[in-house]
């Protein structure tokens, strides 16, 4: 078994196979290569289906028509489809065909062209016009795109040269794009038109007159969820308490990064079920480790008697958030479950 990312490379002629081998050599240190050649035992359709379920990228060495007809039954949407490239067997052109931004096909096309001397063919509007691409930015910074519809509207606004504000709760690194206007208030602008890119685990505050333009939420996965509970609490009860705590804090659930508790709850089925449902890593700490976390916490003699520390959820959340983390929701208790939230330090980088 290998943990390497996978890439599919298909070829159909002897000359194409030579080009496919060159491509494989280019990526072999980063990807497990799934080759297809027409005289193999696996059909092209079977190979493509396997790649769409397992691989991050596919490269067809041959005609665009073959690639389009082959991938058509497997296409879903740009957030899930792998990058698909097409290169002619002579290596003159490399085309970014599918998932140019989120899937990374544009960058792969540029990399292939630089390495093999091919001409890149990229047709996405923001790239053609040399404009800021919000979906690429989100992908590069590990931000969750809350709405692809809003992301498209932001890109359209950028291309029309409309005003697009950007608010960021974290630190900003790199060269700020000239297409954007930095917005430093924690509430939306008071105007009827325009668009806002809102980068924060928190929902924006609304001014007296609601902003009428597009608001795209880009959510950093930076919030740790501390959980305490009585034995036997269900996944549903734990989820309800956590989501209510998040609502009180104005935190979007897409910002959840991990969950934590005391070692005594390492095998608690309800917490494990919640973490599995939300795809969250689950960390536990000894009572000694939690007691060493510094800060002001809601203290309980009963909790200390049972667990060895005076507070589980707040201390666990803050321990999980690491150095520089801060509590953003103190203990919220309901039906034998407690939850608290902490956010770690995070930043975004616009690059050079």
């Amino acid at each position: 078994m290998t943990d390497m990312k996978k890439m599919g490379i298909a070829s159909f002629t002897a000359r194409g196979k030579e080009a496919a081998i060159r491509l494989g050599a280019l990526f072999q240190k980063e990807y497990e290569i799934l080759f297809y050649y027409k005289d193999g035992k696996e059909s092209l359709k079977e190979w493509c289906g396997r790649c769409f379920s397992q691989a991050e990228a596919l490269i067809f060495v041959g005609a665009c028509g073959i690639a389009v007809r082959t991938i058509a039954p497997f296409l879903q949407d740009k957030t899930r489809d792998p990058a698909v490239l097409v290169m002619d067997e002579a290596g003159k052109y490399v085309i970014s065909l599918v998932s140019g931004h989120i899937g990374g096909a544009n960058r792969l096309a540029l990399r292939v062209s630089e390495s093999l001397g091919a001409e890149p063919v990229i047709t996405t509007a923001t790239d053609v016009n040399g404009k800021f691409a919000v979906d690429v930015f989100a992908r590069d910074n590990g931000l969750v795109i809350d709405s692809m519809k809003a992301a498209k509207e932001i890109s359209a606004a950028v291309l029309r040269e409309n005003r697009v504000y950007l608010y960021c709760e974290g630190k900003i690194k790199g060269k700020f794009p000239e297409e954007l206007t930095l917005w430093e208030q924690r509430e939306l602008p008071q105007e009827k038109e325009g668009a806002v890119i809102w980068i924060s685990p928190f929902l924006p505050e609304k001014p007296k007159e609601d902003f009428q333009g597009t608001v795209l939420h880009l959510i950093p996965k930076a919030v740790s969820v501390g959980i305490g509970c009585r034995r036997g609490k269900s996944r549903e009860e734990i989820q309800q308490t956590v989501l209510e705590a998040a609502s009180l804090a104005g935190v979007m659930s897409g910002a959840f990064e991990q969950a934590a508790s005391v070692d005594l709850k390492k095998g608690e089925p309800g917490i494990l079920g919640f973490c599995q449902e939300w795809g969250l890593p689950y960390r536990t700490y000894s009572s000694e480790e939690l007691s060493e976390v510094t800060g002001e916490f809601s203290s309980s003699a009963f909790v200390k008697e049972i667990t060895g520390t005076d507070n589980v959820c707040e201390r666990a959340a803050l321990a999980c958030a690491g150095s520089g983390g801060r509590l953003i929701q103190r203990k919220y208790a309901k039906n034998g479950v407690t939850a608290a939230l902490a956010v770690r330090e995070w930043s975004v980088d616009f690059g050079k």
Side-chain angles (χ1 to χ4, degrees):
M1 294 293 290
T2 178
D3 292 328
M4 288 183 73
K5 298 180 293 185
K6 294 181 173 62
M7 171 185 285
I9 303 178
S11 58
F12 310 96
T13 67
R15 189 179 186 188
K17 190 174 185 179
E18 292 176 2
I21 291 171
R22 291 198 301 274
L23 286 169
L26 176 63
F27 292 107
Q28 64 181 353
K29 292 183 179 179
E30 302 161 62
Y31 295 89
E32 176 188 348
I33 307 298
L34 309 176
F35 284 107
Y36 168 83
Y37 189 60
K38 66 176 184 179
D39 60 359
K41 294 181 180 179
E42 190 176 31
S43 73
L44 181 59
K45 183 177 180 180
E46 291 171 336
W47 171 85
C48 189
R50 182 160 64 101
C51 288
F52 262 72
S53 65
Q54 299 179 12
E56 295 200 359
L58 291 78
I59 304 178
F60 288 82
V61 182
C64 271
I66 295 175
V68 170
R69 286 191 293 271
T70 302
I71 67 174
F74 303 101
L75 292 172
Q76 298 180 70
D77 63 65
K78 65 167 63 180
T79 64
R80 292 183 285 178
D81 294 332
V84 180
L85 279 65
V86 180
M87 189 176 82
D88 64 284
E89 62 181 40
K92 291 183 178 180
Y93 301 100
V94 56
I95 303 167
S96 173
L97 190 65
V98 169
S99 291
H101 284 168
I102 296 176
N106 289 358
R107 287 189 175 174
L108 277 177
L110 290 171
R111 182 173 170 188
V112 171
S113 67
E114 290 171 3
S115 299
L116 301 185
E119 182 73 23
V121 180
I122 295 172
T123 58
T124 41
T126 48
D127 296 272
V128 170
N129 290 280
K131 299 289 187 179
F132 170 74
V134 69
D135 45 1
V136 174
F137 167 76
R139 177 180 182 268
D140 290 348
N141 285 275
L143 303 170
V144 177
I145 299 175
D146 190 53
S147 166
M148 287 307 302
K149 180 177 181 292
K152 291 178 182 178
E153 291 172 357
I154 291 289
S155 293
V158 167
L159 290 169
R160 290 194 302 266
E161 299 186 354
N162 292 353
R163 176 170 290 184
V164 177
Y165 296 99
L166 181 135
Y167 171 83
C168 184
E169 190 88 23
K171 294 179 181 178
I172 295 176
K173 301 178 181 179
K175 184 179 179 181
F176 193 79
E178 61 182 18
E179 298 94 331
L180 307 180
T181 299
L182 187 62
W183 182 257
E184 296 182 339
Q185 300 178 47
R186 203 175 175 180
E187 66 174 23
L188 296 173
Q190 290 189 8
E191 59 177 62
K192 300 297 182 183
E193 297 179 355
V196 175
I197 301 170
W198 189 270
I199 310 176
S200 174
F202 300 98
L203 288 163
E205 297 173 9
K206 294 185 177 181
K208 293 179 181 178
E209 292 185 16
D210 288 354
F211 181 75
Q212 300 297 310
T214 297
V215 180
L216 171 63
H217 299 287
L218 299 182
I219 310 169
K221 297 188 80 64
V223 172
S224 296
V225 182
I227 303 172
C229 68
R230 294 179 191 155
R231 184 183 301 172
K233 285 295 172 179
S234 68
R235 176 189 63 79
E236 291 81 7
E237 289 174 302
I238 289 167
Q239 176 175 281
Q240 182 181 11
T241 303
V242 170
L243 293 181
E244 288 180 7
S247 179
L248 286 172
V251 169
M252 291 179 275
S253 60
F256 295 166
E257 181 178 32
Q258 52 195 341
S261 190
V262 67
D263 276 347
L264 185 65
K265 296 296 177 181
K266 182 175 291 185
E268 187 67 39
I271 300 179
L272 293 175
F274 167 76
C275 291
Q276 183 177 13
E277 178 79 13
W278 285 77
L280 301 178
Y282 179 42
R283 299 179 62 180
T284 58
Y285 299 89
S286 68
S287 57
E288 291 79 13
E289 288 174 315
L290 292 181
S291 296
E292 290 174 0
V293 177
T294 58
E296 295 183 6
F297 304 104
S298 306
S299 182
S300 167
F302 174 75
V303 171
K304 187 169 185 178
E305 181 181 349
I306 299 298
T307 67
T309 187
D310 64 345
N311 182 292
V312 170
C313 62
E314 292 177 353
R315 290 180 178 275
L318 200 53
C320 217
S323 177
R326 59 188 177 91
L327 277 177
I328 54 177
Q329 175 59 49
R330 293 193 172 275
K331 181 174 75 173
Y332 173 74
K334 185 174 183 178
N335 296 331
V337 180
T338 62
L341 306 176
V343 63
R344 63 173 171 81
E345 287 189 338
W346 59 275
S347 62
V348 297
D349 193 340
F350 286 95
K352 299 179 180 179

